Amino acid sequence: QQILTGSEDKTIRTWDVRTLAETRCLTFDGPVTSVQTSAGGNVLTVAAGNDVHFLDRQTMRVIKKHTLPDVGGVNTAALHPSGTSFVAGGG
């Protein structure tokens, strides 16, 4: 089992629950303000700076990235259960 954390240091880190050791670290262009798992559990939605990233949960590779107009940063984002649209809030 793993725990996933997002941080103002512009990273997402995964941690092994048993050993508490960091197992992976990804860096983004802006502070990570929101991380959410999709309804099916296979996509992570990440709000970081003015960007919304969609990552494959298994490989942690970016599936798609959307850069939003400069509204003071994206605070949160969520993928619709259908996987065809998302919402984001910020400012």
Side-chain angles (χ1 to χ4, degrees):
Q1 275 188 322
Q2 293 187 333
I3 294 174
L4 191 136
T5 61
S7 177
E8 287 190 14
D9 70 357
K10 303 179 183 180
T11 65
I12 288 180
R13 298 172 195 266
T14 57
W15 307 85
D16 183 290
V17 173
R18 290 174 290 128
T19 65
L20 301 180
E22 181 182 309
T23 57
R24 182 176 283 176
C25 181
L26 299 172
T27 303
F28 295 84
D29 292 334
V32 176
T33 53
S34 174
V35 180
Q36 187 176 62
T37 304
S38 66
N42 55 349
V43 177
L44 291 176
T45 303
V46 178
N50 288 329
D51 301 325
V52 177
H53 301 259
F54 300 97
L55 282 65
D56 179 285
R57 177 63 182 102
Q58 294 299 319
T59 65
M60 299 298 276
R61 291 188 181 175
V62 176
I63 300 167
K64 193 158 199 163
K65 174 184 165 184
H66 292 277
T67 300
L68 303 178
D70 188 7
V71 294
V74 179
N75 294 331
T76 189
L79 182 64
H80 188 275
S82 69
T84 59
S85 59
F86 72 96
V87 295

